[in-house]
Each structure stands twice: as structure tokens, then as C-alpha cells.
Amino acid sequence: MRVLIAIAVALVAASAAIAEDHVRVHVDRTTVAANTEFRIDVEASGESVGEPIFDDPIEGLTVRPKPIGQSQSVQWSTGKGKTVTKSLSYAAVATKVGEVKLPPVGVPVNGKLLYSKPVTLNVVAETQPQRGLAWEDIIIVTSRVDKSEVYQGEQLALTLEQWIMSNESVEAGTFRGADIRYPDTSGFYTTPLTTDVIQRTRNGWSYDVTEYRQVLYATTTGDLVIGPWYWEGLARARTRYGVQQKTYNLQTSEIHVKVKPLPEGPPNFSGAVGRFTLNAELTRDEVIQGVPTTLIVRVSGEGNPDAIGEPHLPPIENAYLSDAEKETAETKGSGLLEKRFTYMITPLKPGNMMIPPVEFCYFDPQDEEFKTEAAGPFTLRVLESVESGPRTLVSDNNVDSPSHAVGVIDEDIRPLAPCPDGLRPSPPAPLRNAGAVAFPAVAYLAAAMLVRRKRRFEQDSTYTRAYHAKAACLKRLRAVRASAQPADDIYRTLAAFIADEFDVPEAGMTAADAERLLQSRGVESSLADNFVKMLRKCERARFGSSALSADEVRALTRGAVECVGALDGTLKRLRKKERTQ
């Protein structure tokens, strides 16, 4: 029986190890038109990952050897070391109608060649392009999500695509003043948009495709709706009748997402949803009694950073444990993040002190179960503090006579030194005496006010964000002129200002959101309209085909400085009025 159990354990461990190193292949659609380009995504994970190897030739399929996109991320986990995840995208074209198989793709992982599962494609007859170019073919906008059903807090990827035909006889794009409104994502925590431009083929025509990607996290359960994407643009085409143009007013369809509630979790559930790893380290494993050491705990993975709660650290005997200092960093473009928790541990007694394991519990939506990562325990060697030796209470200049000498009777008992001169009364000083009496009370009141102010900054995040909102905004606006993307910087700066003033997340803030917040607080319409107009102007410049001129940047920056100052003063008065009512 024991032998069978050992074999079973070994098989489980072996399967888990194999599951860590993998190669997966996805296609953007399984039904494709012949001679029409589609995308193949290859993902490989392991300690070291090489380049994908495709069969050559592949019957009925041509894969371009140079990737059209790639990304790489690295994760560290306790006991497992480094894990590299590499993703590459390739353009492919099916050359025959019917069922076409993409054979397993090999990728060198940790010195071994691992293979993906084969993929079956349904290739249909090529769609013949219209003989004459239609206006509907020149500009196309689409929106989609990678999942239609998620758990609350689970990551959801939203992709917006803007297809603009690449043709010598056609010029197309947006125009200054165009109405571009991105989808309403109410009910979701949103991250900033990322942009990528690639070339694709559709119905025989070549297009420059701009992809806008945004990661969403559902904050509530039920049936949520991602609103349509509104887009205005202009196209000019040279025809046999001369140059003609058309104005576009396009919008995508709504996207419906079903959000499921999380199952009841264990007591140590942190609130995080996704896939995470945990590691922790002591900066010093040997200290003197009363001298602190630092414990750094890192949570890494994919998920909403605001939902990552503090890991569970049990009480430490004979030690003082400080509150955690928190810091979040994100790997740009990878979707991976790291949240760091820093603790100060001060040992109170000498000897070997045991720091118990740190635990982090999260919900894995792919496996639909709660998982707990642990790091530790740690052993801290605490050295006994050394007391200083005997001290001299008088200087060497005063030891000429035996009466002025101070002898050490014992380490804990020291005699008093006689006064070398007679005592004389000091002259009266009423002001000095009054000041001496009043000073402790004044100092106590000042210290109490400082402590109260510091405590409010630490505990009241709403007050802290609103207090620093204006200064932080003006500081960022001063650096705008040197920026390579001034419209984007001004937009983000103003969005951050509104988010700080109203204590709401900055990510995903739109001009419509800012307008709604200002109206809810009762800000006068002229001031609110001015602020919203600046945001919308920046929105159009960020995603339009024409950038802001230097004069426009200067004018917009000056207007933003004046508007922020006026708006900050107005909001302070309104908050003060609300407190007095």
C-alpha cells in the first residue's frame, strides 16, 4: 500500500512539474477565408525559452517566418526560481479550401523540445472583393472581449480595432474636432489603454490596423454591458470623377458580459482574483537586540492591484512588528504586476527568533478554486545588546584634590560629587519663569497638532489625495512642454487631478466621468464645462491623426493651470460648506 501511495505521489509531482513548462498555440479564429491573413499566437513557459519551430512546408498553410508581435515576462517564486513566459504572434495564410491542420509547434524549453497540440482550421472559399471600391471598405471599427463570462474581479481583455485602408488612391483618418467616445465601462475597474499598429488583409484589401487594448476587472456581479465605441472620421478617394470624400460616423455594438460571484472563501482570503506567486526575504538575518530588520514580501502575477490585500503574517513572539508599507509596480505591456509589502521587525529579546511563514490566499478563476501561497519560516539571530562601561562624572580638570574625585563603588551604585563652589541665589526673571512654565504646554499642543495632522494624512486617504491634488497637477503641467506626447500628458494630468479631488480610481477616467463628478458636487457650469472641454480636446489629439502645435500646447497648458487653480479653490469651499451643514 505504501509503495502505491509513493508511486501516486511521484506521478502527481511529475505531472505538476510538466504542467509548469508548456507550449500553447492559439489562432485568432478557427474559420478563415482562403488567401486571407490571420494570426497564430505561440506561448511557451519555462526557465529558459527558445524560438518556435514550425514544420516546413505545411500542407495548405503558409506561415511568415518573422513574428509580427512578441512579448516576454519573468516571474520569481519561492522554491521554483525563475519562470520565463514568451509570447510571439505570426501572420499566416491558408492556401486551400477545406480542413487544414497546423501541426504541433516545437519550442526549446529548458534544453528540451516541447510541442503544442495541433490546431484544426476550417478554410472557406475566398471572399471576392468588389470590383469597385466601396466607401464601407475604407474605414472599419470593431470591438471585442476575450471572455463573455467571468468571475467578479477576474481579468477581462477589451480590444478595439480601427481598420484604415492602405491604398495609394485613398486617404483616411480622423479630423480635428471629431467626436471619439470610448466604450462606457461602468461596473468595471479599468486600466489605461495600450496601442499597437499592425498590417492586415481583409477581403483582399490591405489595412493599417490600430489596436487599442484595455484590461478590465468586474467590480460587481450580474449582467454588465460594455457600451459602444463612437468614432468619427473622414476619407478621400481619387476616382474617375475626381477626388471625392465621405464623413464617417461609426459605432460598434454593445458587449454583454456575465459576471459570476466568487464562492465563499477561507478566512485568510485576501480578495485577489487571478494567478499569483509569493516570495519573501529578510534583509538581515542577524541583528542586535532592539535593532530592527526588514521583511520584504512580494506578490506577483496577473490581477487587479487594488484587490491585492495584505498577506497574512502571524504575530511574532518577543518582537515588535510595524504596519506594512505598500508599493505597486507594473511591467509595461505585459499585464504583470508586483505588489510589495515591507515590514520592520524589532526583536526585544536575544536568542534565535522564529518568524512564522507568510501566507497569501487568492482565487484562481481558471481552476475555479482558492489557492494559498506561502513563504518562510525565517530564523533571525538576535545578539544581546552590550551596556557601556563605567562613566566619569567630572572632567580631568577637577580631580586635583581628593574631595573632587569620584570613585566607582559598584556598577549600579555611584557616589555623589561634592559641589566645588558655594551656592548663590539667581536674580529674579519673571518673563523667563513664565516662559519656562508655559513652554511645555505650548510644545505639547504643537506636537499634538503635528501628530494629529500626520495621522490624518496616514489614515484619511480622501483628505490626503485632495490636499495634494493641486500641487501634484501643477508640477506635472510644468513638465508638459518638454514631453514628446503633450496631449497625452495633459489628459492624464487632468484626469489624475479629478481622481484625487474625488477619491476615485484614475485608471479609465474619461471626460464624461469628469463631467459627471463635477456636476454631482455642484460646481458652476462654466468652470466645469471649461475643464471638460480641455479633456475632450486632449482626447481628440491623443487618438486623432493630427498632433497639437506648440502654440496649442502652450495655450492649453496655461488654461489648464488657471482652471485647476479655480477648480481646487471651488471644491475646497464646497467641502467646507458640506462639513458645516
Side-chain angles (χ1 to χ4, degrees), residues 345-371:
I345 302 175
T346 306
L348 305 178
K349 289 186 178 181
N352 288 334
M353 187 179 74
M354 183 65 67
I355 300 175
V358 184
E359 293 184 346
F360 178 74
C361 180
Y362 64 94
F363 181 75
D364 187 334
Q366 295 186 25
D367 295 340
E368 298 186 313
E369 64 180 6
F370 291 94
K371 297 181 179 180

Side-chain angles (χ1 to χ4, degrees), residues 235-351:
R236 295 187 182 93
R238 290 187 293 273
T239 69
R240 58 182 178 178
Y241 303 107
V243 177
Q244 297 184 354
Q245 73 175 32
K246 174 180 173 59
T247 301
Y248 291 80
N249 189 350
L250 306 175
Q251 74 176 64
T252 61
S253 301
E254 294 180 341
I255 300 176
H256 294 264
V257 180
K258 181 181 180 181
V259 183
K260 300 178 291 185
L262 296 177
E264 185 175 353
N268 62 341
F269 175 48
S270 68
V273 179
R275 286 198 164 183
F276 301 93
T277 58
L278 175 76
N279 63 73
E281 61 177 342
L282 282 174
T283 56
R284 290 187 295 173
D285 57 8
E286 182 179 279
V287 295
I288 298 173
Q289 175 186 355
V291 177
T293 186
T294 304
L295 176 65
I296 301 176
V297 182
R298 295 181 176 88
V299 179
S300 306
E302 296 181 356
N304 183 356
D306 286 356
I308 299 177
E310 190 172 334
H312 176 64
L313 181 60
I316 304 174
E317 189 176 355
N318 297 324
Y320 169 75
L321 179 65
S322 72
D323 293 334
E325 294 184 4
K326 304 168 188 177
E327 183 180 359
T328 303
E330 185 173 355
T331 305
K332 187 175 182 181
S334 68
L336 299 176
L337 59 91
E338 178 184 280
K339 195 161 187 177
R340 185 169 66 180
F341 303 86
T342 304
Y343 302 87
M344 300 297 292
I345 302 175
T346 306
L348 305 178
K349 289 186 178 181

Side-chain angles (χ1 to χ4, degrees), residues 393-412:
L393 301 183
V394 297
S395 65
D396 295 339
N397 297 329
N398 295 327
V399 294
D400 295 335
S401 66
S403 62
H404 291 158
V406 178
V408 177
I409 300 174
D410 191 85
E411 289 293 331
D412 297 328

Side-chain angles (χ1 to χ4, degrees), residues 42-303:
V42 181
E43 178 190 283
S45 182
E47 186 175 349
S48 63
V49 179
E51 299 297 319
I53 302 173
F54 291 88
D55 285 357
D56 188 21
I58 302 174
E59 184 180 359
L61 191 64
T62 301
V63 180
R64 295 182 183 176
K66 185 177 179 181
I68 59 176
Q70 57 184 336
S71 65
Q72 178 173 306
S73 63
V74 179
Q75 288 185 339
W76 293 86
S77 59
T78 303
K80 300 178 183 178
K82 180 179 70 171
T83 300
V84 178
T85 301
K86 182 182 290 187
S87 299
L88 297 98
S89 299
Y90 295 85
V93 175
T95 56
K96 74 171 187 177
V97 176
E99 187 178 279
V100 175
K101 286 191 175 181
L102 172 63
V105 178
V107 179
V109 177
N110 301 341
K112 297 181 180 180
L113 195 60
L114 301 184
Y115 288 91
S116 67
K117 294 180 180 179
V119 177
T120 301
L121 298 170
N122 178 29
V123 183
V124 297
E126 179 182 2
T127 303
Q128 296 295 328
Q130 298 181 6
R131 295 187 179 182
L133 183 63
W135 289 110
E136 291 74 16
D137 295 326
I138 297 177
I139 301 176
I140 303 168
V141 295
T142 64
S143 63
R144 68 177 188 274
V145 292
D146 61 338
K147 289 168 280 193
S148 60
E149 185 173 315
V150 294
Y151 280 97
Q152 182 179 1
E154 183 181 353
Q155 179 174 299
L156 179 72
L158 171 65
T159 303
L160 310 176
E161 290 183 342
Q162 170 189 295
W163 296 64
I164 296 183
M165 183 172 290
S166 176
N167 190 293
E168 294 181 354
S169 61
V170 172
E171 295 179 358
T174 187
F175 54 86
R176 185 166 297 180
D179 183 16
I180 299 177
R181 283 174 284 161
Y182 290 86
D184 179 17
T185 53
S186 301
F188 292 92
Y189 172 89
T190 60
T191 62
L193 285 167
T194 60
T195 308
D196 191 18
V197 180
I198 57 178
Q199 284 72 44
R200 289 187 185 173
T201 302
R202 187 184 185 118
N203 296 333
W205 302 104
S206 296
Y207 289 85
D208 293 324
V209 182
T210 304
E211 286 188 347
Y212 302 97
R213 301 188 188 93
Q214 189 172 36
V215 177
L216 312 177
Y217 302 94
T219 59
T220 184
T221 59
D223 295 326
L224 300 185
V225 177
I226 299 175
W229 177 24
Y230 297 92
W231 191 91
E232 284 187 355
L234 180 69
R236 295 187 182 93
R238 290 187 293 273
T239 69
R240 58 182 178 178
Y241 303 107
V243 177
Q244 297 184 354
Q245 73 175 32
K246 174 180 173 59
T247 301
Y248 291 80
N249 189 350
L250 306 175
Q251 74 176 64
T252 61
S253 301
E254 294 180 341
I255 300 176
H256 294 264
V257 180
K258 181 181 180 181
V259 183
K260 300 178 291 185
L262 296 177
E264 185 175 353
N268 62 341
F269 175 48
S270 68
V273 179
R275 286 198 164 183
F276 301 93
T277 58
L278 175 76
N279 63 73
E281 61 177 342
L282 282 174
T283 56
R284 290 187 295 173
D285 57 8
E286 182 179 279
V287 295
I288 298 173
Q289 175 186 355
V291 177
T293 186
T294 304
L295 176 65
I296 301 176
V297 182
R298 295 181 176 88
V299 179
S300 306
E302 296 181 356

